[in-house]
Amino acid sequence: MPTCTSQSASPVKTMQDLVRSLNEAMGSSGLGDDLCTVRKVKQLMHTYASQSDDWAQHAVYHEGTRYTRNLVDDGNGKYNLLILVWGEGQSSPIHDHAGSHCMMKLLAGELDEQLFAWPQDGSLELRRTTPLRTNSVAYMHDKIGLHRIGNPSLTARAVSLHLYSPPYNMCKTFDESTGAAVQSSCTAQKLTNLMSSSQAYACSAGFAADPAMAMPQGSAITSI
């Protein structure tokens, strides 16, 4: 195991602090294979305590979709930061991360992460299920396996923050019963004409929102 030196860091009190600290931590290299940087970034994600006023304007959800992927920051070109809003009872397909690091923090609600082994003999083995609650942080890489993220609640949406390094637009999704894989788009688009924080969070939290405040078509792209 590498010996990682600790360095003093600026407080991470807001989403803006987090973005700045992430840029400082990863510099021009992104996460790469440096486990010390991976640990530092994970600690930064832990240190930030979720505050809806920080991220609500990005937490846009389109009724009838499983979940949406909303770009928060494109980093330094070596990573990107997305907010995903999960519909009630909705989940992602089983998927890989195209060789990228994935760091995920739950901002609101609850999610379950199911970890799968890579397919062997035409099937996928479920290794474990980990419940995630507000401010939980999880790390994923293809070397660990595949995963599926789902919102177990049938009455409330969930909001999560995802860091991908390096960014990617295509990944593989897998059929649980056969192990067959297909290429899938996993892009996100930066929101335009953002709602106010209170309006956007009303949508993400599952409350009724004024239809006149709906986001324009194409402002967020439904994930894989």
Side-chain angles (χ1 to χ4, degrees), residues 51-69:
Q51 304 174 79
S52 61
D53 286 347
D54 282 346
W55 47 259
Q57 63 177 338
H58 299 285
V60 175
Y61 179 76
H62 297 301
E63 200 66 47
T65 59
R66 289 181 298 173
Y67 55 103
T68 52
R69 295 166 60 91

Side-chain angles (χ1 to χ4, degrees), residues 9-224:
S10 302
V12 179
K13 296 181 179 180
T14 67
M15 183 74 74
Q16 291 75 19
D17 291 340
L18 179 60
V19 171
R20 184 185 63 251
S21 296
L22 290 172
N23 274 291
E24 292 174 353
M26 289 187 282
S28 60
S29 301
L31 285 179
D33 294 323
D34 183 354
L35 292 181
C36 290
T37 303
V38 171
R39 292 176 183 174
K40 184 174 182 178
V41 167
K42 188 174 183 179
Q43 183 58 40
L44 287 171
M45 298 281 273
H46 270 296
T47 302
Y48 169 67
S50 177
Q51 304 174 79
S52 61
D53 286 347
D54 282 346
W55 47 259
Q57 63 177 338
H58 299 285
V60 175
Y61 179 76
H62 297 301
E63 200 66 47
T65 59
R66 289 181 298 173
Y67 55 103
T68 52
R69 295 166 60 91
N70 307 303
L71 183 64
V72 175
D73 192 86
D74 56 9
N76 52 12
K78 300 297 183 180
Y79 79 96
N80 60 10
L81 203 60
L82 279 61
I83 280 183
L84 276 65
V85 183
W86 304 79
E88 298 88 338
Q90 299 300 311
S91 64
S92 73
I94 300 169
H95 61 279
D96 72 358
H97 293 88
S100 291
H101 300 271
C102 170
M103 204 80 70
M104 177 177 69
K105 181 183 182 73
L106 190 56
L107 299 177
E110 54 184 314
L111 293 172
D112 288 338
E113 179 190 30
Q114 294 181 305
L115 176 66
F116 293 84
W118 281 84
Q120 300 288 336
D121 301 322
S123 61
L124 292 176
E125 175 192 355
L126 176 62
R127 288 183 170 174
R128 67 171 182 263
T129 299
T130 303
L132 304 173
R133 300 300 178 256
T134 300
N135 286 315
S136 295
V137 176
Y139 171 76
M140 189 61 183
H141 191 278
D142 290 347
K143 293 178 181 179
I144 299 172
L146 310 170
H147 75 174
R148 174 168 58 202
I149 303 296
N151 178 5
S153 175
L154 300 179
T155 59
R157 295 175 188 156
V159 183
S160 53
L161 178 69
H162 296 243
L163 181 150
Y164 300 104
S165 179
Y168 61 94
N169 294 320
M170 298 294 295
C171 65
K172 292 180 180 178
T173 57
F174 295 79
D175 183 283
E176 185 171 2
S177 60
T178 67
V182 296
Q183 289 287 338
S184 299
S185 172
C186 47
T187 58
Q189 184 170 323
K190 192 167 185 177
L191 300 175
T192 57
N193 300 325
L194 289 172
M195 298 179 182
S196 70
S197 294
S198 60
Q199 291 161 343
Y201 188 53
C203 294
S204 69
F207 300 111
D210 183 349
M213 299 308 300
M215 296 298 296
Q217 186 68 27
S219 59
I221 297 177
T222 302
S223 177
I224 52 179

